[in-house]
């Protein structure tokens, strides 16, 4: 009888030993699936009506050049604000005083800086709108000598700067 019980226990041990969960394997594919990129939003901006305004543009930038100032619109991928500010100003975020304003669907970053060029000293001001996909950048460079005279014009440009649909 003891042998018979021992045989049943061994038989259950053999059968129950095979009840282990099945191994699962991760499937790896060689093709990379790229999600369709979203088109950048349309920027709303009111450009001052000067008599002599030169316009230049590229794929992701536009430049409006007046007698004493430049208005530059640029679009960068979102995610690295430091890189975006460095591309615009030439300075890291750590070397700028950046004011951050958070709204419902968009973050806004404002800063100002000065630089020296071949033509003389320039004063710069920028606004970066971040919708989570792109950085929409407006920067204005003004000759330092006349920055007080064109301040109202520059303020009007920044006041009218927004993204359509936000």
């Amino acid at each position: 009888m003891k042998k018979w019980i021992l045989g049943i226990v061994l038989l259950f041990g053999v059968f129950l030993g095979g009840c282990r969960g099945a191994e699962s394997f991760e499937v790896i594919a060689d093709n990379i699936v790229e999600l369709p990129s979203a088109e950048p939003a349309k920027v709303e901006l009111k450009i001052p009506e000067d008599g002599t305004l030169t316009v230049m543009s590229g794929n992701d930038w536009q430049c409006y050049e007046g007698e004493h100032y430049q208005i530059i619109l640029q679009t960068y991928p979102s995610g690295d604000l430091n890189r975006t500010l460095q591309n615009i100003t030439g300075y890291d975020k750590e070397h700028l005083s950046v004011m951050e304003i958070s709204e419902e669907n968009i973050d806004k970053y404002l800063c100002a800086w000065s630089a020296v060029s071949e033509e003389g000293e320039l004063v710069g001001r920028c606004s970066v709108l971040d919708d989570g996909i792109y950085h929409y950048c407006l920067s204005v460079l003004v000759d330092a000598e006349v920055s007080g005279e064109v301040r109202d014009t520059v303020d009007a440009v920044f006041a009218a700067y927004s993204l359509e649909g936000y």
Side-chain angles (χ1 to χ4, degrees), residues 30-141:
D30 288 338
N31 27 350
I32 299 172
V33 178
E34 291 187 27
L35 298 174
S37 62
E39 289 293 317
K42 187 173 180 179
V43 174
E44 294 181 3
L45 182 67
K46 184 177 179 183
I47 302 295
E49 296 179 15
D50 282 350
T52 58
L53 193 64
T54 306
V55 180
M56 297 176 280
S57 66
N59 288 342
D60 55 356
W61 63 273
Q62 294 175 333
C63 180
Y64 304 89
E65 191 166 336
E67 187 176 342
H68 298 290
Y69 57 85
Q70 282 184 326
I71 300 170
I72 304 165
L73 284 169
Q74 297 168 299
T75 305
Y76 294 103
S78 182
D80 190 355
L81 180 64
N82 186 49
R83 186 188 74 225
T84 299
L85 290 173
Q86 192 169 17
N87 287 340
I88 296 169
T89 67
Y91 296 105
D92 290 342
K93 185 179 176 187
E94 300 160 355
H95 294 98
L96 295 167
S97 295
V98 180
M99 187 168 62
E100 300 177 25
I101 301 169
S102 292
E103 296 177 8
E104 188 173 324
N105 294 326
I106 198 161
D107 294 326
K108 188 177 195 178
Y109 303 94
L110 306 169
C111 70
W113 74 99
S114 64
V116 177
S117 72
E118 294 176 358
E119 292 83 27
E121 187 176 359
L122 299 173
V123 177
R125 180 175 164 188
C126 84
S127 175
V128 177
L129 303 177
D130 184 1
D131 67 355
I133 301 171
Y134 292 102
H135 286 158
Y136 305 92
C137 310
L138 168 66
S139 57
V140 177
L141 293 170

